[in-house]
Amino acid sequence: MQLTVENLSKNYRGGVRALDSVQLSLRPGVLGLLGPNGAGKSTLMRILATITEASSGRVLWNDKDIARDPNALRGVLGYLPQDFGVYPNLSAIEFLGYLAAVKGIPATAARRRISELLALVNLADAAKRPLGGYSGGMRQRVGIAQALLNDPELLIVDEPTAGLDPEERVRFRNLLSELAGERIVILSTHIVSDVEAVATEIAILAHGQLLAHATPEALLSEVTGKIWEVVVPSANLPALRAKHLVSNTAHRSDGVHARVVADSAPLAQARQLEPSLEDAYLAVLARQRNPVATAGAAA
């Protein structure tokens, strides 16, 4: 089982280049796809889901070009788009039953699968209620269930935890971890903590370009020894931000505790910290914005 992305580019009218020669090779596991808004994540997801055509390059599913033979992938694909719509007058059971029929799942198997999935996403008690009365988080859970209807080999989820409360997010993360052993899962999000919890590999996109593709451990190693905590008065924080990459701040009684990414101690009293995935992510984005400067250090 392999998904290969070769020199993939997507251009829109007006000269907008949403993707620029992206290359990826994926096997079973969870790929966390990170990037700021407008990075090209959703465009890439739609191409992989055979909804949008690339301008150039190709995507191979088990060595078959999905542009030439989309059905080779569609039969084993589960997809949850960022903007997932429902039929408000249908119940969850009716809605999932309709989608199961569209996917060609036999009725008896569909009923059994729908019951399992509604329990899995914690909607069994609301299964017969019209979807129009569901909260945003409940509708998102229905979306997760529909993406799993055909027990997909490739599962693509775009911002899946939007609208979920903290308990539901943990439940979904655990579900992704359980699913990953036997399929390729692509989790596209801007929430670093979701990726940190489940990803076996991470890809970082910005302005349509793939900036990094590595394991979490490899990304963390890039910033090991470069994370510092400094305490400064609130008035000094703008100057610190102007000189260094500040990944986090916390206001306390003795001043602002700032988390800084820099090659060397930003101030004499700086204390070295263990890196987080958010530190590594921000450092990659900073290098893309200023490739000449070292990570977070002033030129």
Side-chain angles (χ1 to χ4, degrees):
M1 186 186 305
Q2 185 169 10
L3 180 70
T4 306
V5 178
E6 295 182 346
N7 294 314
L8 199 68
S9 295
K10 178 64 177 179
N11 303 319
Y12 290 108
R13 291 179 182 175
V16 176
R17 196 167 180 84
L19 293 174
D20 186 1
S21 302
V22 172
Q23 295 207 129
L24 286 168
S25 181
L26 305 178
R27 291 188 177 275
V30 178
L31 175 76
L33 182 60
L34 285 171
N37 291 334
K41 301 189 301 299
S42 292
T43 297
L44 177 58
M45 298 297 94
R46 289 194 295 268
I47 292 173
L48 296 181
T50 72
I51 294 169
T52 299
E53 292 185 358
S55 300
S56 61
R58 61 179 186 165
V59 178
L60 304 177
W61 172 252
N62 294 332
D63 296 325
K64 292 184 178 179
D65 189 333
I66 67 169
R68 295 181 178 180
D69 186 12
N71 290 330
L73 176 58
R74 287 173 180 168
V76 295
L77 171 69
Y79 178 47
L80 173 60
Q82 185 173 358
D83 299 315
F84 174 70
V86 298
Y87 294 104
N89 295 324
L90 297 183
S91 69
I93 290 177
E94 292 167 338
F95 179 65
L96 292 174
Y98 163 72
L99 292 178
V102 170
K103 294 184 182 216
I105 302 173
T108 301
R111 284 193 294 270
R112 183 171 59 253
R113 181 66 173 161
I114 290 167
S115 178
E116 292 171 353
L117 290 172
L118 288 172
L120 191 66
V121 298
N122 201 29
L123 285 176
D125 292 341
K128 296 182 180 180
R129 285 169 45 191
L131 296 176
Y134 275 28
S135 68
M138 293 171 73
R139 292 188 187 192
Q140 193 73 351
R141 282 183 273 159
V142 173
I144 294 165
Q146 67 80 28
L148 295 170
L149 270 171
N150 59 336
D151 194 20
E153 294 179 10
L154 173 62
L155 176 62
I156 299 173
V157 286
D158 196 356
E159 300 288 354
T161 60
L164 299 186
D165 63 34
E167 184 179 2
E168 291 169 339
R169 284 177 64 187
V170 171
R171 180 191 293 269
F172 181 71
R173 290 172 181 174
N174 291 339
L175 175 60
L176 280 188
S177 295
E178 293 168 6
L179 292 171
E182 56 196 32
R183 72 197 81 212
I184 297 172
V185 179
I186 302 177
L187 165 62
S188 173
T189 183
H190 66 280
I191 303 173
V192 177
S193 59
D194 283 347
V195 169
E196 194 165 26
V198 300
T200 52
E201 295 183 3
I202 295 169
I204 300 174
L205 272 179
H207 303 293
Q209 295 182 333
L210 183 66
L211 305 184
H213 177 208
T215 63
E217 294 83 0
L219 287 174
L220 287 169
S221 70
E222 290 286 320
V223 289
T224 297
K226 300 180 181 180
I227 310 302
W228 311 86
E229 183 185 58
V230 298
V231 181
V232 297
S234 296
N236 293 0
L237 187 57
L240 182 68
R241 289 187 185 276
K243 292 184 65 177
H244 300 286
L245 173 60
V246 178
S247 65
N248 197 12
T249 58
H251 289 263
R252 296 178 185 163
S253 59
D254 59 341
V256 179
H257 288 238
R259 190 178 181 96
V260 177
V261 184
D263 286 341
S264 57
L267 296 174
Q269 72 273 26
R271 180 172 68 92
Q272 200 167 82
L273 301 174
E274 284 295 313
S276 70
L277 191 57
E278 186 168 20
D279 297 324
Y281 167 61
L282 292 174
V284 169
L285 293 182
R287 284 199 299 271
Q288 192 260 352
R289 288 192 298 269
N290 188 1
V292 176
T294 56

